[in-house]
Amino acid sequence: IFMPEKQRIIVADDERVIADTLAIILNHDGFNARAVYSGEEALQLAATFAPHMLLSDVIMGELNGVETAIMMRTLVPNVKILLFSGHSHSADLLKKANTLGFNFEILAKPVHPKDLLSRLRPEPPNSHDINSGDEVAPSLQLRVSEREQHCN
């Protein structure tokens, strides 16, 4: 039986409880998530972990989440990026990244597990072959993409 590879996700937040909790939720839902507590740790882990996705707080210590996301794109060009923040200052950082050609999706803190998982929800393999009442087994495909953003 072919088992699809688990999507690897780095969860970065300087609030350890948040990073650990999100990693536990993601691992429980079938992902391979690792918690780190700074942007620097996220970049160090990326070298060996080769993440499919970075889930990062925006406001962190030395290296903020937007800077981390930009550097992560250099290390892992196809990595998906999803940022979260509870600070209004984040909008300025995102605008600055946008002027550099980077568009990142952002969730407001606190991030509810259902909201997070809905962003990572799998697409049905052949949606035209599935009846509306049928359950679909998770394919662990990440749906989050900068192309899916709704830009104003």
Side-chain angles (χ1 to χ4, degrees):
I1 295 175
F2 173 75
M3 295 296 289
E5 179 185 16
K6 288 184 177 185
Q7 297 292 304
R8 292 179 303 278
I9 301 176
I10 294 176
V11 180
D13 195 327
D14 57 349
E15 294 183 55
R16 290 174 177 258
V17 172
I18 293 174
D20 291 341
T21 302
L22 289 175
I24 289 167
I25 290 166
L26 292 170
N27 286 326
H28 185 267
D29 203 59
F31 296 92
N32 180 1
R34 303 256 180 101
V36 295
Y37 313 114
S38 70
E40 295 85 353
E41 285 182 63
L43 296 170
Q44 289 170 359
L45 179 59
T48 56
F49 189 59
H52 295 100
M53 176 174 229
L54 170 67
L55 176 61
S56 178
D57 187 16
V58 173
I59 306 299
M60 294 190 288
E62 299 268 329
L63 201 58
N64 70 52
V66 173
E67 294 166 332
T68 301
I70 290 170
M71 292 178 178
M72 184 70 71
R73 268 286 156 73
T74 305
L75 292 171
V76 187
N78 293 326
V79 70
K80 310 276 190 242
I81 307 287
L82 182 58
L83 302 173
F84 55 91
S85 180
H87 300 275
S88 58
H89 177 63
S90 300
D92 295 335
L93 294 171
L94 289 169
K95 284 179 190 171
K96 188 174 181 181
N98 201 338
T99 63
L100 297 173
F102 295 93
N103 281 324
F104 301 122
E105 188 171 352
I106 188 161
L107 291 173
K109 258 183 170 179
V111 178
H112 191 280
K114 285 184 181 179
D115 294 336
L116 174 60
L117 292 171
S118 74
R119 301 293 177 117
L120 309 177
R121 185 176 48 245
E123 296 263 0
N126 293 315
S127 55
H128 62 277
D129 293 339
I130 297 173
N131 296 328
S132 60
D134 290 345
E135 287 292 318
V136 178
S139 64
L140 301 178
Q141 292 290 323
L142 294 175
R143 292 181 54 194
V144 176
S145 150
E146 287 75 22
R147 289 187 212 117
E148 292 177 349
Q149 286 187 36
H150 299 288
C151 298
N152 294 335

Short mmCIF file of all heavy atoms in Angstrom, two decimals, residues 22-49:
data_model
loop_
_atom_site.label_atom_id
_atom_site.label_comp_id
_atom_site.label_asym_id
_atom_site.label_seq_id
_atom_site.Cartn_x
_atom_site.Cartn_y
_atom_site.Cartn_z
N LEU A 22 0.43 24.26 18.37
CA LEU A 22 0.11 24.15 16.95
C LEU A 22 0.79 22.93 16.33
O LEU A 22 0.18 22.23 15.52
CB LEU A 22 0.52 25.43 16.20
CG LEU A 22 -0.33 26.66 16.48
CD1 LEU A 22 0.25 27.88 15.78
CD2 LEU A 22 -1.78 26.44 16.05
N ALA A 23 2.03 22.65 16.72
CA ALA A 23 2.72 21.47 16.19
C ALA A 23 2.00 20.18 16.61
O ALA A 23 1.83 19.26 15.80
CB ALA A 23 4.18 21.45 16.66
N ILE A 24 1.54 20.13 17.86
CA ILE A 24 0.80 18.95 18.34
C ILE A 24 -0.48 18.76 17.53
O ILE A 24 -0.80 17.65 17.09
CB ILE A 24 0.49 19.07 19.85
CG1 ILE A 24 1.78 18.92 20.66
CG2 ILE A 24 -0.55 18.05 20.28
CD1 ILE A 24 1.65 19.34 22.12
N ILE A 25 -1.22 19.85 17.33
CA ILE A 25 -2.47 19.79 16.56
C ILE A 25 -2.20 19.30 15.14
O ILE A 25 -2.90 18.42 14.62
CB ILE A 25 -3.18 21.16 16.54
CG1 ILE A 25 -3.71 21.49 17.95
CG2 ILE A 25 -4.30 21.21 15.50
CD1 ILE A 25 -4.12 22.94 18.14
N LEU A 26 -1.19 19.86 14.50
CA LEU A 26 -0.86 19.47 13.12
C LEU A 26 -0.41 18.01 13.04
O LEU A 26 -0.81 17.27 12.14
CB LEU A 26 0.20 20.40 12.54
CG LEU A 26 -0.27 21.84 12.30
CD1 LEU A 26 0.91 22.74 11.97
CD2 LEU A 26 -1.31 21.88 11.19
N ASN A 27 0.43 17.59 13.98
CA ASN A 27 0.88 16.20 14.00
C ASN A 27 -0.29 15.25 14.21
O ASN A 27 -0.37 14.20 13.56
CB ASN A 27 1.96 15.98 15.07
CG ASN A 27 3.29 16.56 14.67
OD1 ASN A 27 3.66 16.56 13.50
ND2 ASN A 27 4.02 17.09 15.63
N HIS A 28 -1.20 15.63 15.07
CA HIS A 28 -2.40 14.81 15.33
C HIS A 28 -3.27 14.70 14.08
O HIS A 28 -3.96 13.70 13.87
CB HIS A 28 -3.19 15.40 16.50
CG HIS A 28 -4.36 14.57 16.90
ND1 HIS A 28 -5.62 14.77 16.40
CD2 HIS A 28 -4.45 13.51 17.74
CE1 HIS A 28 -6.45 13.87 16.91
NE2 HIS A 28 -5.76 13.09 17.74
N ASP A 29 -3.22 15.73 13.24
CA ASP A 29 -4.05 15.76 12.03
C ASP A 29 -3.34 15.15 10.82
O ASP A 29 -3.82 15.26 9.70
CB ASP A 29 -4.49 17.19 11.73
CG ASP A 29 -5.75 17.25 10.90
OD1 ASP A 29 -6.79 16.71 11.34
OD2 ASP A 29 -5.70 17.80 9.78
N GLY A 30 -2.17 14.52 11.03
CA GLY A 30 -1.51 13.80 9.95
C GLY A 30 -0.35 14.50 9.29
O GLY A 30 0.20 14.00 8.31
N PHE A 31 0.05 15.65 9.79
CA PHE A 31 1.21 16.35 9.25
C PHE A 31 2.45 15.98 10.05
O PHE A 31 2.36 15.39 11.12
CB PHE A 31 0.99 17.87 9.32
CG PHE A 31 -0.15 18.36 8.47
CD1 PHE A 31 -1.42 18.48 9.01
CD2 PHE A 31 0.04 18.68 7.15
CE1 PHE A 31 -2.49 18.92 8.24
CE2 PHE A 31 -1.01 19.11 6.36
CZ PHE A 31 -2.28 19.23 6.90
N ASN A 32 3.62 16.32 9.53
CA ASN A 32 4.88 16.16 10.25
C ASN A 32 5.35 17.56 10.61
O ASN A 32 6.00 18.22 9.83
CB ASN A 32 5.90 15.44 9.37
CG ASN A 32 7.23 15.23 10.06
OD1 ASN A 32 7.41 15.60 11.22
ND2 ASN A 32 8.19 14.67 9.34
N ALA A 33 4.94 18.04 11.80
CA ALA A 33 5.22 19.41 12.21
C ALA A 33 6.28 19.44 13.30
O ALA A 33 6.32 18.59 14.17
CB ALA A 33 3.94 20.07 12.71
N ARG A 34 7.13 20.46 13.20
CA ARG A 34 8.17 20.69 14.21
C ARG A 34 8.04 22.12 14.72
O ARG A 34 7.93 23.05 13.92
CB ARG A 34 9.57 20.51 13.62
CG ARG A 34 9.81 19.16 12.99
CD ARG A 34 10.67 18.28 13.87
NE ARG A 34 10.89 17.00 13.26
CZ ARG A 34 11.99 16.64 12.62
NH1 ARG A 34 12.98 17.48 12.50
NH2 ARG A 34 12.09 15.42 12.12
N ALA A 35 8.09 22.29 16.02
CA ALA A 35 8.02 23.62 16.63
C ALA A 35 9.42 24.17 16.85
O ALA A 35 10.32 23.45 17.29
CB ALA A 35 7.29 23.55 17.97
N VAL A 36 9.60 25.44 16.51
CA VAL A 36 10.82 26.18 16.81
C VAL A 36 10.39 27.52 17.41
O VAL A 36 9.24 27.93 17.26
CB VAL A 36 11.72 26.39 15.57
CG1 VAL A 36 12.24 25.05 15.05
CG2 VAL A 36 10.99 27.14 14.47
N TYR A 37 11.32 28.20 18.05
CA TYR A 37 10.96 29.36 18.84
C TYR A 37 11.59 30.67 18.36
O TYR A 37 11.57 31.66 19.08
CB TYR A 37 11.29 29.09 20.31
CG TYR A 37 10.78 27.72 20.74
CD1 TYR A 37 11.65 26.71 21.09
CD2 TYR A 37 9.41 27.43 20.72
CE1 TYR A 37 11.18 25.45 21.44
CE2 TYR A 37 8.93 26.17 21.06
CZ TYR A 37 9.83 25.19 21.42
OH TYR A 37 9.36 23.94 21.74
N SER A 38 12.13 30.66 17.15
CA SER A 38 12.68 31.89 16.56
C SER A 38 12.81 31.69 15.06
O SER A 38 12.80 30.56 14.55
CB SER A 38 14.06 32.21 17.14
OG SER A 38 15.02 31.26 16.69
N GLY A 39 12.94 32.81 14.36
CA GLY A 39 13.16 32.74 12.92
C GLY A 39 14.48 32.06 12.59
O GLY A 39 14.57 31.28 11.63
N GLU A 40 15.49 32.34 13.41
CA GLU A 40 16.80 31.73 13.19
C GLU A 40 16.72 30.21 13.29
O GLU A 40 17.30 29.49 12.47
CB GLU A 40 17.82 32.26 14.21
CG GLU A 40 18.13 33.75 14.07
CD GLU A 40 17.15 34.68 14.79
OE1 GLU A 40 16.12 34.21 15.33
OE2 GLU A 40 17.40 35.89 14.82
N GLU A 41 15.98 29.71 14.30
CA GLU A 41 15.82 28.26 14.46
C GLU A 41 15.07 27.66 13.27
O GLU A 41 15.39 26.56 12.83
CB GLU A 41 15.06 27.93 15.75
CG GLU A 41 15.86 28.09 17.02
CD GLU A 41 15.01 27.70 18.23
OE1 GLU A 41 14.61 26.52 18.33
OE2 GLU A 41 14.76 28.58 19.08
N ALA A 42 14.08 28.38 12.76
CA ALA A 42 13.32 27.90 11.60
C ALA A 42 14.24 27.72 10.40
O ALA A 42 14.17 26.71 9.69
CB ALA A 42 12.18 28.87 11.27
N LEU A 43 15.12 28.69 10.17
CA LEU A 43 16.04 28.62 9.03
C LEU A 43 17.07 27.51 9.22
O LEU A 43 17.40 26.81 8.26
CB LEU A 43 16.72 29.97 8.83
CG LEU A 43 15.77 31.11 8.45
CD1 LEU A 43 16.49 32.46 8.51
CD2 LEU A 43 15.15 30.87 7.08
N GLN A 44 17.54 27.32 10.45
CA GLN A 44 18.49 26.23 10.71
C GLN A 44 17.83 24.88 10.46
O GLN A 44 18.42 24.00 9.83
CB GLN A 44 19.00 26.30 12.15
CG GLN A 44 19.95 27.44 12.40
CD GLN A 44 20.27 27.63 13.88
OE1 GLN A 44 19.76 26.92 14.74
NE2 GLN A 44 21.11 28.61 14.18
N LEU A 45 16.60 24.70 10.94
CA LEU A 45 15.89 23.44 10.76
C LEU A 45 15.58 23.17 9.29
O LEU A 45 15.63 22.03 8.84
CB LEU A 45 14.60 23.44 11.59
CG LEU A 45 13.73 22.18 11.48
CD1 LEU A 45 14.50 20.93 11.91
CD2 LEU A 45 12.46 22.34 12.31
N ALA A 46 15.30 24.21 8.54
CA ALA A 46 14.93 24.04 7.13
C ALA A 46 16.03 23.33 6.33
O ALA A 46 15.72 22.59 5.39
CB ALA A 46 14.63 25.40 6.50
N ALA A 47 17.27 23.54 6.71
CA ALA A 47 18.39 22.93 5.98
C ALA A 47 18.32 21.41 5.98
O ALA A 47 18.67 20.76 5.00
CB ALA A 47 19.71 23.40 6.57
N THR A 48 17.83 20.82 7.07
CA THR A 48 17.77 19.36 7.16
C THR A 48 16.34 18.81 7.04
O THR A 48 16.14 17.69 6.62
CB THR A 48 18.37 18.87 8.50
OG1 THR A 48 17.68 19.52 9.57
CG2 THR A 48 19.85 19.18 8.56
N PHE A 49 15.35 19.61 7.40
CA PHE A 49 13.96 19.17 7.45
C PHE A 49 13.24 19.34 6.11
O PHE A 49 12.28 18.65 5.82
CB PHE A 49 13.24 19.94 8.57
CG PHE A 49 11.86 19.47 8.91
CD1 PHE A 49 11.62 18.17 9.34
CD2 PHE A 49 10.78 20.34 8.83
CE1 PHE A 49 10.34 17.74 9.69
CE2 PHE A 49 9.50 19.92 9.18
CZ PHE A 49 9.28 18.62 9.60
#
